[in-house]
Amino acid sequence: MPSLLGPFVRRRYRATVLVLWLVSAGFICTGSEHTATATLPAAFSDLLPHFLVEPEDEYIVKNKPVTLTCRSTPATQIYFKCNGEWVHQDDHLIERTVDPATALPVMQVTIDITRQQVEKIFGLDEYWCQCVAWSTTGTQKSQKAYIRIAYLRKNFEEEPQGKEVALDQEVLLRCHPPEGVPQAEVEWQRNEDVIDPASDPNFFITADYNLVIKKARLADTGNYTCVAKNIVARRKSTSATVLVYVDGGWSEWSKWSACGADCSMWRSRECTQPSPGTGGKDCQGLDLQSLNCTSEQCPQTVSGAEDVALYVGMVAVALCLTLLLIVVVLVYRRKKEGLDADVADSSILTTGFQPMGIKPSKPENSHLLTIQPDLTTTTTSYQGTLRSRHDATGKFSMTNGPLLDPLPNGSHTLHNGKLSSDPAEFVSRLSTQTYFKTLPRDVANTSFGTFNFLGGRLTIPNTGISLLIPPEAIPRGKIYEIYLTVQRKEDLRLPLAGCQTLLSPVVSCGPPGVVLSRPVILSVDHCSDACLDNWAIRLKKQNYEGAWEDVLLMGEELVTEPYYCQLEAETCRLFSEQLGTFALVGESLHMGAAKRLRLVLFSDAYCSTLEYNIRVYCMDDTQDVFKEVMQMEQQLGGRLIDEPHVLLFKDSYHNLRLSIHDMPQAHWRSKLLAGYQEIPFYHIWNGSQRYLHCTFTLERLSLSTCELTCQLCVWQVEGEGQSFSLDFNIAKDTRALDSEFLLMDSNTTALAGPSAFQIPYLIRQKICSSLDAPCPNGADWRMLAQRLKLERHMSFFASKASPTSVILDLWEAQHFHSGNINQLATVMADIGKQEAMIFLVSDGEC
């Protein structure tokens, strides 16, 4: 018997000691009113307590406390412990009942948890509570209940973007809801109606909340909104407009008409299957076709004397035209043979000595680079045609055959100067090739030209994007048709993570796979602060499968690699031995890293109502984005109302704020309800949203009010700011703006041969032969690099067969529009290469 009672006595003893400790600690009151201790009947004294109700996880919404409940039977005491500490007896609410089925006593205890209690340990650990129940036999612990403060941020991490899509095309709308606890649920709306994929299987919502329209229908045109909600709040993203358009198709041809009096018959077709809709393209081709009738069908059977005279006259005219055509062909062939006889004719090699439209002054050293070239030099003349008449590989081939059709007779005429071709025809022809089917057909942002060993230049006006093809970059005997285009960022989405941001436009030059003897130079704008101590800037290249690869880390370039970069204040110069699609991606190393934002103000050119809108664009400070916004505003009827400002936007996670002040209250008022507008940090830093802007809607109290004065401020929270002081007449703005901001660049998009360069071809060769050979006194290419402030790239230049030639290539890329060849002559004089030395010096004299 003692052996059986021993464990029971020991448990009873431990429980009694614990009760005495709780009484002494103040957790158990000795008065009957508040006591949490009960005496169990003898029949149930050996039972352990078990829980009927355990505390559950709870969320605190705003400032409303939550209640935790614990119920146990049979129990003499129940107390809560939160984050390892006992909750005081006075904070417990106790209720005792008896279970009618078992006659066991039931004890229930509740406590309230406030927001202040949870916030005391916020960030250190999660706040939890559990209850402990006692009986005379022992204790039991409940499960832990976690109490969290519920919230839902205001700003979406990614919002859907509007798109124009063709009928039956798949559409992907992205949405990343705001951060929240508990995690937000997401639903999609079209024109304020909730989308239910269960009732319309054409819609599909992915696990990461993106909306997929499997096949776009005309009825799917509308405004799409991503809605996030949890127990705290409900947030809506900005609406994204999806426009589904229909390209027109031709109906079947009608039957031929009867033969008419003019001996012709007709048939027609209509653009109705389907008809073009919602901005779709019209049908291509003829809608009316004619055909001459046979003599048996023609109703004219008799030809009078007048008809005979008419036919005689027509024959005479035809003979005259034939003779004229023969003369023209003979003259053309003689001229062509003259050009083929000697490509290195001085008129070709010296054309483009000065760039078009630039007439620099002539200082005392200008004669150093303007002497007449010596055309008798055998090393610089090229005899024969620009490519072999019997070499079918003059243009490179790909797996699907030649990129472009061979030129007739296997020959080619050099167009020295502006290349004139139909851009739309070129883009259409190029995009039919397998690899280029993904290229955008954006003729306005594409340039192309045909080039040989003399090189040339491609430029996309008003974008800061150009491609320099140096002389001898294309092997002799080869002719390439090369293109340059800027991609829209929504067409090519780069995978960005963490603190990464897009710093440049996405630029394609090609065709990929061409053989180059020397690197070309691709110039693109960037929007970083150009401080490599703040950034890890990578050059990314798209491979043939469409994936993006890191090919270069700025500042850690290897001279053995096919890519090399020079980062300037606003431009990046990429030396590349391969053509392809490139972009600069930056990753901030600390919060001091900054992007340049261009702040641009637009308003309606004409206002006939009381309301007046001012649109403030906050865009990457690159010329291509500014060009797109200018073109878009011109289509919307907008006008630029002040010169753009530049703001340094730091990686501080702080948003951008915009506000308007100091309006004459007697004439104007703002319809903005808050004191400012705000653009989330992530939307700006990511760099993938092109046209971020805020609109200020103002209201004039009378239609006769036309003068507007105000102060518009844009600033990053705890960072830099800019302000615009506006004072103008909204009906007739007579202020003059700098032409730099009005997209006045009308330079030729493609230049082939010597006209693309400031330094004539033969003079360039003389300079290279003079400076490439090392001189003991340093008067060689190294001093030229130092004088041009390019000494950081000495190892890159030294790795090339002709360092001087690469330096001159970079000078040409930097100074084509604004360069002064006389400045280069002055540098040559400083080096000590006087006129006689430049062209007559030998290695022995060094």
Side-chain angles (χ1 to χ4, degrees):
M1 187 68 178
S3 62
L4 296 175
L5 294 177
F8 171 76
V9 171
R10 286 194 295 272
R11 289 196 297 269
R12 183 86 179 247
Y13 173 77
R14 288 195 298 269
T16 304
V17 171
L18 181 58
V19 170
L20 292 175
W21 177 82
L22 290 171
V23 171
S24 64
F27 287 104
I28 301 178
C29 299
T30 56
S32 60
E33 181 179 358
H34 299 289
T35 182
T37 306
T39 302
L40 293 177
F44 310 117
S45 60
D46 60 344
L47 296 177
L48 281 172
H50 72 275
F51 291 99
L52 303 175
V53 176
E54 296 185 73
E56 302 285 346
D57 292 348
E58 297 286 350
Y59 294 98
I60 295 177
V61 179
K62 298 183 179 178
N63 293 316
K64 184 179 179 181
V66 297
T67 301
L68 301 181
T69 301
C70 190
R71 184 186 303 164
S72 178
T73 183
T76 57
Q77 311 152 33
I78 300 178
Y79 291 100
F80 273 92
K81 178 186 284 187
C82 294
N83 279 71
E85 297 183 359
W86 293 101
V87 179
H88 196 276
Q89 169 70 16
D90 292 343
D91 296 330
H92 292 72
L93 181 62
I94 304 165
E95 181 181 347
R96 296 187 182 88
T97 58
V98 176
D99 188 339
T102 63
L104 285 175
V106 178
M107 179 176 288
Q108 177 174 297
V109 177
T110 59
I111 62 172
D112 289 340
I113 304 296
T114 65
R115 184 186 185 100
Q116 289 74 17
Q117 290 174 268
V118 178
E119 285 180 338
K120 284 182 181 179
I121 64 163
F122 185 74
L124 301 176
D125 198 0
E126 287 194 293
Y127 193 93
W128 59 266
C129 293
Q130 69 178 162
C131 58
V132 183
W134 283 267
S135 71
T136 55
T137 305
T139 63
Q140 287 282 69
K141 293 181 180 179
S142 71
Q143 66 183 13
K144 287 184 178 181
Y146 289 89
I147 299 91
R148 301 175 177 91
I149 298 175
Y151 66 91
L152 185 62
R153 303 286 187 207
K154 292 184 178 180
N155 299 321
F156 280 72
E157 294 188 12
E158 184 175 12
E159 294 187 292
Q161 302 296 311
K163 295 185 177 182
E164 294 184 4
V165 296
L167 189 68
D168 294 331
Q169 180 180 336
E170 183 180 272
V171 183
L172 174 64
L173 297 177
R174 298 181 180 275
C175 176
H176 195 166
E179 178 188 349
V181 173
Q183 186 173 353
E185 298 177 354
V186 171
E187 67 180 22
W188 282 86
Q189 295 180 351
R190 180 182 64 193
N191 299 331
E192 303 296 329
D193 295 328
V194 177
I195 295 174
D196 182 11
S199 60
D200 189 347
N202 193 43
F203 292 105
F204 175 71
I205 299 178
T206 65
D208 50 355
Y209 311 117
N210 298 327
L211 177 67
V212 177
I213 306 176
K214 298 177 183 178
K215 285 189 175 182
R217 306 161 296 191
L218 290 178
D220 293 327
T221 295
N223 296 319
Y224 288 78
T225 309
C226 181
V227 181
K229 58 183 178 180
N230 66 4
I231 59 176
V232 179
R234 176 186 175 94
R235 312 286 189 206
K236 284 188 174 184
S237 71
T238 55
S239 294
T241 301
V242 174
L243 178 65
V244 182
Y245 60 84
V246 181
D247 290 335
W250 288 97
S251 63
E252 295 294 329
W253 286 105
S254 65
K255 293 183 178 180
W256 287 104
S257 66
C259 193
D262 56 352
C263 290
S264 63
M265 52 185 180
W266 302 84
R267 66 175 181 173
S268 64
R269 56 182 177 176
E270 296 180 346
C271 188
T272 57
Q273 295 183 357
S275 299
T278 57
K281 296 179 181 178
D282 288 329
C283 299
Q284 304 295 319
L286 300 174
D287 57 358
L288 195 63
Q289 195 175 48
S290 66
L291 187 67
N292 290 333
C293 304
T294 61
S295 57
E296 292 82 4
Q297 294 174 311
C298 185
Q300 295 182 359
T301 57
V302 181
S303 296
E306 295 179 356
D307 292 335
V308 174
L310 176 62
Y311 294 149
V312 171
M314 292 176 63
V315 171
V317 171
L319 289 174
C320 292
L321 291 176
T322 302
L323 291 174
L324 180 61
L325 180 61
I326 293 172
V327 172
V328 170
V329 171
L330 290 175
V331 171
Y332 170 77
R333 293 186 62 181
R334 294 190 64 179
K335 286 186 175 181
K336 183 176 181 299
E337 291 172 359
L339 176 60
D340 287 343
D342 189 1
V343 173
D345 180 75
S346 62
S347 64
I348 296 178
L349 292 173
T350 56
T351 301
F353 174 68
Q354 295 288 349
M356 295 186 299
I358 300 178
K359 296 182 178 179
S361 57
K362 296 182 178 180
E364 57 184 2
N365 295 313
S366 61
H367 64 283
L368 294 180
L369 294 179
T370 57
I371 83 166
Q372 185 67 24
D374 181 8
L375 300 182
T376 63
T377 306
T378 58
T379 60
T380 58
S381 62
Y382 175 73
Q383 301 294 331
T385 59
L386 292 182
R387 68 173 186 158
S388 171
R389 295 181 184 270
H390 305 287
D391 182 10
T393 62
K395 288 194 174 183
F396 71 95
S397 299
M398 300 184 66
T399 56
N400 292 330
L403 175 67
L404 300 171
D405 295 334
L407 296 177
N409 301 325
S411 61
H412 182 78
T413 300
L414 175 65
H415 296 279
N416 184 34
K418 180 177 179 181
L419 296 173
S420 57
S421 297
D422 181 12
E425 185 272 337
F426 171 79
V427 173
S428 176
R429 182 158 44 94
L430 187 65
S431 61
T432 60
Q433 303 298 319
T434 301
Y435 180 75
F436 305 103
K437 286 184 178 178
T438 58
L439 280 179
R441 304 192 179 204
D442 189 355
V443 175
N445 289 318
T446 300
S447 62
F448 66 94
T450 304
F451 303 95
N452 65 355
F453 76 96
L454 292 175
R457 182 188 306 263
L458 291 175
T459 303
I460 304 178
N462 301 303
T463 63
I465 299 171
S466 64
L467 179 69
L468 182 78
I469 306 166
E472 307 294 344
I474 296 176
R476 291 186 178 237
K478 299 287 185 180
I479 295 177
Y480 296 154
E481 193 159 21
I482 296 178
Y483 66 84
L484 176 67
T485 185
V486 56
Q487 306 276 6
R488 294 186 180 273
K489 294 179 184 175
E490 56 267 25
D491 294 331
L492 286 177
R493 183 175 291 273
L494 274 75
L496 301 177
C499 300
Q500 289 185 337
T501 179
L502 191 60
L503 296 176
S504 76
V506 181
V507 178
S508 296
C509 56
V514 299
V515 177
L516 297 175
S517 304
R518 298 181 50 208
V520 297
I521 301 180
L522 177 64
S523 299
V524 296
D525 282 0
H526 69 86
C527 61
S528 77
D529 58 11
C531 179
L532 292 180
D533 293 335
N534 298 336
W535 293 93
I537 300 179
R538 289 177 170 83
L539 176 70
K540 287 184 176 286
K541 181 177 183 288
Q542 192 177 34
N543 62 23
Y544 286 92
E545 288 75 29
W548 288 92
E549 302 173 339
D550 292 343
V551 296
L552 180 147
L553 176 61
M554 203 82 72
E556 298 183 9
E557 301 93 339
L558 298 176
V559 297
T560 56
E561 295 296 323
Y563 310 101
Y564 192 88
C565 279
Q566 145 120 343
L567 189 69
E568 301 168 6
E570 298 179 357
T571 306
C572 175
R573 315 281 180 188
L574 169 63
F575 292 83
S576 177
E577 298 174 9
Q578 300 174 3
L579 303 183
T581 299
F582 301 95
L584 286 181
V585 171
E587 183 173 3
S588 61
L589 301 179
H590 51 76
M591 296 176 67
K595 291 179 63 174
R596 298 191 324 274
L597 296 185
R598 186 178 297 195
L599 311 175
V600 190
L601 273 58
F602 287 92
S603 67
D604 298 330
Y606 176 74
C607 179
S608 60
T609 64
L610 293 177
E611 285 191 354
Y612 186 72
N613 295 318
I614 296 178
R615 295 177 291 279
V616 185
Y617 287 84
C618 307
M619 65 189 79
D620 290 349
D621 186 25
T622 57
Q623 295 181 57
D624 68 299
V625 183
F626 181 60
K627 175 183 178 180
E628 286 188 34
V629 172
M630 285 288 290
Q631 292 174 339
M632 182 178 67
E633 280 289 337
Q634 289 171 359
Q635 293 175 356
L636 296 175
R639 65 171 175 177
L640 191 67
I641 61 173
D642 203 351
E643 294 183 356
H645 290 13
V646 174
L647 172 72
L648 285 179
F649 187 79
K650 292 190 175 181
D651 183 19
S652 63
Y653 296 99
H654 289 298
N655 296 344
L656 191 71
R657 288 183 178 174
L658 306 91
S659 61
I660 194 164
H661 311 275
D662 302 335
M663 287 188 301
Q665 299 297 321
H667 303 289
W668 292 88
R669 71 180 183 91
S670 172
K671 300 189 73 173
L672 182 66
L673 298 179
Y676 56 84
Q677 299 191 64
E678 197 166 79
I679 300 178
F681 168 85
Y682 177 81
H683 289 186
I684 298 174
W685 193 257
N686 181 263
S688 60
Q689 302 191 38
R690 306 281 280 177
Y691 314 125
L692 283 175
H693 70 278
C694 286
T695 300
F696 288 93
T697 301
L698 312 180
E699 186 176 38
R700 46 182 174 170
L701 304 184
S702 170
L703 286 174
S704 62
T705 300
C706 295
E707 294 293 333
L708 174 61
T709 59
C710 62
Q711 192 86 3
L712 200 151
C713 300
V714 184
W715 75 101
Q716 186 178 17
V717 178
E718 299 185 12
E720 268 196 22
Q722 289 283 6
S723 64
F724 296 82
S725 297
L726 301 179
D727 185 0
F728 66 101
N729 187 302
I730 67 171
K732 187 178 181 181
D733 190 0
T734 58
R735 298 170 302 157
L737 294 177
D738 194 326
S739 61
E740 173 189 353
F741 307 116
L742 300 179
L743 304 184
M744 304 297 288
D745 183 4
S746 58
N747 288 295
T748 304
T749 58
L751 292 172
S755 64
F757 306 96
Q758 295 209 50
I759 307 173
Y761 181 74
L762 288 182
I763 294 180
R764 172 194 176 94
Q765 287 193 320
K766 295 284 189 179
I767 296 175
C768 292
S769 63
S770 174
L771 296 182
D772 277 345
C775 288
N777 62 0
D780 51 31
W781 64 267
R782 293 168 295 179
M783 187 173 292
L784 177 63
Q786 292 173 353
R787 291 290 191 271
L788 297 178
K789 303 186 185 304
L790 301 174
E791 58 270 16
R792 189 178 82 83
H793 311 295
M794 286 292 194
S795 58
F796 173 68
F797 298 143
S799 68
K800 303 303 176 184
S802 173
T804 309
S805 182
V806 180
I807 295 173
L808 295 180
D809 292 344
L810 183 55
W811 186 88
E812 291 275 9
Q814 290 176 318
H815 298 96
F816 178 67
H817 293 299
S818 58
N820 188 343
I821 198 170
N822 300 306
Q823 174 197 18
L824 186 59
T826 303
V827 171
M828 296 295 297
D830 291 341
I831 295 175
K833 297 290 184 180
Q834 302 299 332
E835 180 177 355
M837 293 181 64
I838 291 178
F839 303 108
L840 301 177
V841 72
S842 65
D843 293 341
E845 292 173 306
C846 289

